[in-house]
C-alpha cells in the first residue's frame, strides 16, 4: 500500500513537471495579442474619398499583413522599387518620394537640375496600383551662404535656421519657411487634383538621439529648439497645408525616436505613428513595436524606415513578423552604391531579404494593392 502511494505521488509530480515545462515553452513562443482599437478615421474630416479609401485599407490590413515599401533614391524616381522587381518579380506596394531638393527645382530656379513640378513618375506609380508616400528632408541655406543642409549648428556647413521663427512673421527665417511650405504645397496640390492620396511624413526623427544617451541631440533643424517648439511647428505646418492650402489628400505620419512622447503633436493632427529603425536583430524591433503600441493604442504603428549596415546579420522579415512585430508597412532605405552600378555592394535589404518577405504570404505587393484599390 505504501509503495503504491509513493508510486502515485511520483507519477503526479512527473505530470506537474511536464505540465509546467509545456506551459513555459508555449509562453516563450506566444505572440502577443495585437491591439485592435486603433483610430479608423482620419484627423482631417474633409479628407478626399481616395484618401479615406487608402486609410481604410491600411486599417483593414493592420496586424494581419504588412505592406512592402521602398524610398526614392533622393528625389523623383522608383529605382529601389525596380531593384525589388528585378530580384523578386514583384513591386513593393508603396514608393516614398523625398522633397529634399526643392531648392534646385526648375520651376523655381531656372538653373535647377530637376523638376519637381513634373510628377509623371508619381502619377504612373499610382495608376499602376501603388500607394504614394512623401517625406521631406527640409534643407535650408547653410551658414556658408552657398550649400543647403538639414543639420543644425553654427559651422559653415550647418544651418542656424530657427524653427521658432513661426512666432516672428517679420523675420527672414519665417518668410523662407512660408516660401518652402507653399512650394511643397503646390506639388501636393497637383497630386490632389489627380486624385492621388499621399502618405505624408514630414519633420521626421525630430528628437534625434536625445533620449538614447547623455549628450544626444536633434539631428535636424526642426528639432533643434526642443519639444515645445517642434510641436508648435508641426501644428503650424498642418494648419498651413490643410486649412490654408486646402490639402485634403494627406495621411499624416509622425515619427517617434522612442522615449520622446513629449514631442508628440497630438491625436488631432496625427493619423499614424512611425518608427525608423536600422537594428540588425529582430528583438529590438519587437520591443519597440510593443512600446509604441502601448503608448499610442489608438494609432496604427508603422516601420517608416528600416535597413541595416550589414545585410548578412539583418533579420529576415519572416522572423520579425513571427516574433510579434505587426508594423503596418516597412520601407527599406535606398542603396546609393547599388543603384549606381556597384552591384556587389548592397548595404540594406537585398535579394534574399526581399524574397523571404514575399515568401511569407504576409507582405502586400503592388498587384495586391491594386486589387484592394479596385483598379
Amino acid at each position: 500500500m505504501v509503495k503504491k502511494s509513493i508510486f502515485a505521488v511520483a507519477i503526479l509530480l512527473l505530470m506537474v513537471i511536464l505540465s509546467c515545462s509545456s506551459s513555459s515553452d508555449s509562453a516563450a513562443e506566444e505572440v502577443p495579442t495585437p491591439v485592435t482599437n486603433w483610430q479608423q478615421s482620419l484627423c482631417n474630416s474633409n479628407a478626399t474619398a481616395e484618401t479615406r479609401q487608402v486609410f481604410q485599407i491600411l486599417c483593414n490590413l493592420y496586424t494581419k499583413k504588412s505592406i512592402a515599401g521602398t524610398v526614392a533614391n533622393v528625389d523623383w524616381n522608383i529605382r529601389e522599387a525596380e531593384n525589388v522587381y528585378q530580384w523578386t518579380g514583384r513591386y513593393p506596394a508603396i514608393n516614398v518620394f523625398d522633397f529634399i531638393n526643392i531648392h534646385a527645382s526648375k520651376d523655381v530656379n531656372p538653373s535647377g537640375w530637376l523638376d519637381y513640378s513634373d510628377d509623371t513618375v508619381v502619377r504612373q506609380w499610382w495608376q499602376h496600383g501603388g500607394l504614394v508616400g512623401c517625406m521631406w528632408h527640409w534643407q535650408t541655406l547653410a551658414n556658408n551662404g552657398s550649400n543647403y543642409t538639414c543639420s543644425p549648428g553654427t559651422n559653415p556647413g550647418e544651418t542656424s535656421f530657427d524653427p521658432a521663427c513661426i512666432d516672428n512673421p517679420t523675420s527672414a527665417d519665417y518668410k523662407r519657411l512660408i516660401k518652402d511650405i507653399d512650394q511643397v504645397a503646390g506639388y501636393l496640390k497637383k497630386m490632389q487634383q489627380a486624385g492621388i492620396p499621399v502618405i505624408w511624413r514630414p519633420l521626421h526623427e525630430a528628437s534625434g538621439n536625445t533620449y538614447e544617451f547623455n549628450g544626444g541631440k536633434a539631428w535636424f533643424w526642426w528639432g533643434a529648439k526642443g519639444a515645445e517648439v517642434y510641436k508648435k511647428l508641426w501644428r503650424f505646418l498642418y494648419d498651413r497645408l490643410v486649412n490654408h492650402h486646402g490639402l485634403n489628400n494627406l495621411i499624416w505620419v509622425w515619427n517617434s525616436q522612442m522615449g520622446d512622447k513629449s514631442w508628440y503633436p497630438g491625436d488631432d493632427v496625427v493619423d499614424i505613428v512611425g518608427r525608423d529603425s536600422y537594428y540588425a536583430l529582430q528583438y529590438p524591433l519587437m520591443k519597440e513595436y510593443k512600446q509604441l503600441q502601448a503608448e499610442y493604442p489608438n494609432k496604427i504603428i508603422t516601420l517608416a524606415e528600416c535597413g541595416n549596415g550589414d545585410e548578412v546579420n539583418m533579420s529576415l522579415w519572416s522572423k520579425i513578423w513571427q516574433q510579434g512585430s505587426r508594423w503596418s508597412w516597412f520601407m527599406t532605405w535606398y542603396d546609393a552604391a547599388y543603384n549606381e552600378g556597384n552591384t556587389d555592394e548592397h548595404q540594406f535589404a537585398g535579394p534574399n531579404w526581399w524574397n523571404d518577405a514575399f515568401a511569407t504570404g504576409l507582405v502586400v505587393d503592388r498587384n495586391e494593392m491594386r486589387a484592394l484599390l479596385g483598379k
Side-chain angles (χ1 to χ4, degrees), residues 73 80 334-347:
N73 184 347
E80 195 66 18
Y334 68 87
D335 283 288
Y338 188 91
N339 287 328
E340 290 167 4
N342 299 319
T343 54
D344 291 334
E345 298 181 33
H346 210 284
Q347 184 181 3

Side-chain angles (χ1 to χ4, degrees), residues 175-319:
K175 293 173 183 177
R176 180 72 208 191
L177 186 96
I178 293 295
K179 183 177 182 294
D180 286 354
I181 293 174
D182 291 353
Q183 183 182 349
V184 167
Y187 306 140
L188 294 171
K189 179 67 70 69
K190 285 188 67 176
M191 296 181 205
Q192 177 167 281
Q193 291 167 345
I196 303 175
V198 176
I199 298 172
W200 173 232
R201 188 171 65 101
L203 304 175
H204 66 295
E205 300 176 4
S207 65
N209 54 19
T210 300
Y211 302 102
E212 288 189 31
F213 51 82
N214 290 335
K217 61 182 181 179
W219 298 328
F220 303 122
W221 64 259
W222 49 87
K225 288 294 182 71
E228 295 307 312
V229 171
Y230 169 75
K231 287 186 291 186
K232 196 168 185 179
L233 177 63
W234 177 283
R235 300 183 77 89
F236 181 90
L237 178 64
Y238 182 95
D239 180 69
R240 185 78 182 175
L241 292 181
V242 174
N243 299 319
H244 180 81
H245 286 288
L247 287 170
N248 298 316
N249 62 330
L250 306 179
I251 298 172
W252 289 76
V253 182
W254 174 75
N255 243 129
S256 172
Q257 289 296 97
M258 308 307 296
D260 58 354
K261 197 171 182 181
S262 62
W263 294 65
Y264 181 61
D267 285 350
D268 60 324
V269 290
V270 172
D271 295 309
I272 294 172
V273 171
R275 167 64 171 148
D276 295 357
S277 180
Y278 290 80
Y279 284 117
L281 302 176
Q282 66 264 28
Y283 173 71
L285 283 178
M286 182 268 291
K287 182 180 178 182
E288 290 183 355
Y289 173 79
K290 289 172 66 177
Q291 180 179 333
L292 291 174
Q293 202 178 51
E295 290 178 350
Y296 309 96
N298 64 332
K299 297 294 182 183
I300 288 175
I301 307 298
T302 194
L303 191 56
E305 289 180 23
C306 65
N308 186 263
D310 181 0
E311 187 195 338
V312 175
N313 292 326
M314 184 175 182
S315 293
L316 296 175
W317 187 255
S318 56
K319 295 180 180 179

Side-chain angles (χ1 to χ4, degrees), residues 97-109:
F97 302 93
D98 195 343
F99 289 120
I100 185 171
N101 286 315
I102 61 167
H103 61 278
S105 185
K106 291 179 180 178
D107 60 312
V108 296
N109 180 0

